[in-house]
Structures are given as structure tokens and as C-alpha cells.
Amino acid sequence: KAGVTQTPRYLIKTRGQQVTLSCSPISGHRSVSWYQQTPGQGLQFLFEYFSETQRNKGNFPGRFSGRQFSNSRSEMNVSTLELGDSALYLCASSLIPQGATEAFFGQGTRLTVV
Amino acid sequence: KQEVTQIPAALSVPEGENLVLNCSFTDSAIYNLQWFRQDPGKGLTSLLLIQSSQREQTSGRLNASLDKSSGRSTLYIAASQPGDSATYLCAVGPDTGRRALTFGSGTRLQVQP
């Protein structure tokens, strides 16, 4: 079966712009979580959506937001981009809320802010 | 607050060697522990999931053990191959099952041909 699909794979944006990333989970999975990965901070949790509702949120500013659609696809939006937002953004898909079952990750979106 | 530590941070071994990667966590109230592999610039590939009630899981040349009471897990790789070169991450799921995974910083493994 198809895995977790993230689009686009690469993005280059300018400071101050906004960006939207997309994640399509494994068919049948209702939980989508987002993580930011940087060399200095490692993997940091952004937020989790389950059945179109945000369940948990990490310690990120309000510039980071997300949503989930009825087909479980999720989007993440970052407004007013800063240089420090350059990172690999990963989404994880799981059958039920994350932490309780196996999580499957996509290939990530590499965001570069210049 | 859960903290996950992985030692060593980097490891280089000759092909064919058996090796052990370590993961420790501060809060033993976990639901499960998952080992992942990450190739440079790529996403995470799930290797093994151990539920808190289990002691170990095996998949091919990989064996992961869990000692919840001591807050430790090990990933054993038998007969290592150059294709095993990657970063290995462990992540713990809290016992409420309602929170995100907490990741270690990973062990970067290089297997020399």
C-alpha cells in the first residue's frame, strides 16, 4: 500500500513569505503529526491532528499552523518565514492517535528560507 | 518531561561486525518505543516497535530489547553491511497514548566495506 506522501519535496522561500506543506497519510490512518528536524535541535514536535481536530501542539510560535481535511490529508502553514525556519519538515501517519501505535513517516519537505 | 538519550552519537565499524545501539529514557511510563532509520536528507523508516508490555522484537538481522524499569532499550544489528549505514533514532510514546513521540538525537552509523 502507498506510504506517507509529502509535497513538495523541496522549497526555497524568502524571509517574510508564507508557505504551505502537504501530507497525505497512509490510507485508513486518521492521525497526522508534524515534526521539524534541524541539525541543532533534532526532531521537534509541531502538532498532531486526528479526525480533523488538533489534539496536541508543541512549543512553536503561532506562525506555525495546520489543519486536517475529512480525507485525513493535512496541511501545515508557516507565515512570515524566518531564516531559522529552514529545516526538514516531516509528517507521520498512524492509525490512531500517535504515541499509542506505530508511526510511519514521509520523506519530508526540505524548506530553505533565504 | 521525557528525555531520550542515544549513545554513542556516532559509530564506525567494519562490515560483518555485530553491534549494539543504546537508547535511554528518563520517564519509564511509556506506551511503546520505536526504532527508526534515517538516510541523509530523507524521512524516517520504521524498523521495530516494542510495546511496553514486551521485552523484545525481532526483524531479520535486527533485534530490539526494552527494559522499561531501567529506562533502556538496545538495538542489536547482526552481521552489519555497508547498506546499514544511516542514522538510527529511537522514540518513545508516552503511556497516555495521547502525546507525541519523544525522539533521541540519534546514532550515526557507518559500516566500512
Side-chain angles (χ1 to χ4, degrees):
Chain A
K1 61 180 176 183
V4 181
T5 303
Q6 290 188 247
T7 57
R9 289 294 311 280
Y10 304 93
L11 269 176
I12 300 177
K13 290 287 188 178
T14 305
R15 270 182 305 173
Q17 286 186 314
Q18 75 163 14
V19 67
T20 299
L21 312 182
S22 179
C23 173
S24 293
I26 292 170
S27 178
H29 285 196
R30 295 164 63 192
S31 171
V32 174
S33 296
W34 289 89
Y35 290 81
Q36 181 195 66
Q37 186 177 34
T38 58
Q41 299 296 318
L43 274 151
Q44 293 187 287
F45 171 70
L46 282 155
F47 29 67
E48 178 188 11
Y49 286 87
F50 181 77
S51 294
E52 302 178 65
T53 302
Q54 185 180 88
R55 290 180 59 85
N56 294 301
K57 192 177 192 311
N59 295 323
F60 279 81
R63 299 185 297 107
F64 291 81
S65 63
R67 59 178 175 169
Q68 186 179 34
F69 302 96
S70 58
N71 62 358
S72 294
R73 189 178 71 86
S74 177
E75 287 183 347
M76 189 191 95
N77 186 76
V78 188
S79 62
T80 320
L81 284 166
E82 300 177 0
L83 295 178
D85 296 333
S86 295
L88 181 65
Y89 290 88
L90 294 162
C91 85
S93 153
S94 56
L95 203 57
I96 57 178
Q98 192 170 136
T101 187
E102 190 170 6
F104 298 89
F105 281 77
Q107 289 298 296
T109 294
R110 170 73 63 186
L111 172 64
T112 302
V113 182
V114 297
Chain B
K1 178 189 168 189
Q2 179 73 271
E3 292 183 5
V4 180
T5 304
Q6 291 188 247
I7 294 173
L11 183 63
S12 181
V13 301
E15 181 176 3
E17 194 162 295
N18 302 325
L19 57 102
V20 174
L21 307 181
N22 297 293
C23 172
S24 61
F25 45 95
T26 54
D27 186 351
S28 62
I30 67 169
Y31 199 89
N32 56 38
L33 185 145
Q34 197 166 352
W35 281 94
F36 295 91
R37 167 191 172 134
Q38 185 175 33
D39 293 290
K42 300 292 180 64
L44 277 61
T45 299
S46 177
L47 297 173
L48 289 164
L49 171 73
I50 311 177
Q51 301 291 354
S52 61
S53 57
Q54 298 175 317
R55 297 283 295 183
E56 65 179 294
Q57 280 285 354
T58 298
S59 176
R61 295 182 295 108
L62 305 179
N63 176 275
S65 68
L66 174 63
D67 184 341
K68 227 177 78 161
S69 61
S70 67
R72 296 181 66 178
S73 176
T74 61
L75 179 66
Y76 175 83
I77 302 177
S80 59
Q81 303 170 357
D84 295 331
S85 298
T87 295
Y88 291 80
L89 295 141
C90 72
V92 298
D95 65 350
T96 62
R98 289 176 170 273
R99 306 287 297 177
L101 298 173
T102 302
F103 282 84
S105 52
T107 294
R108 190 170 64 253
L109 171 68
Q110 184 153 15
V111 180
Q112 308 285 355

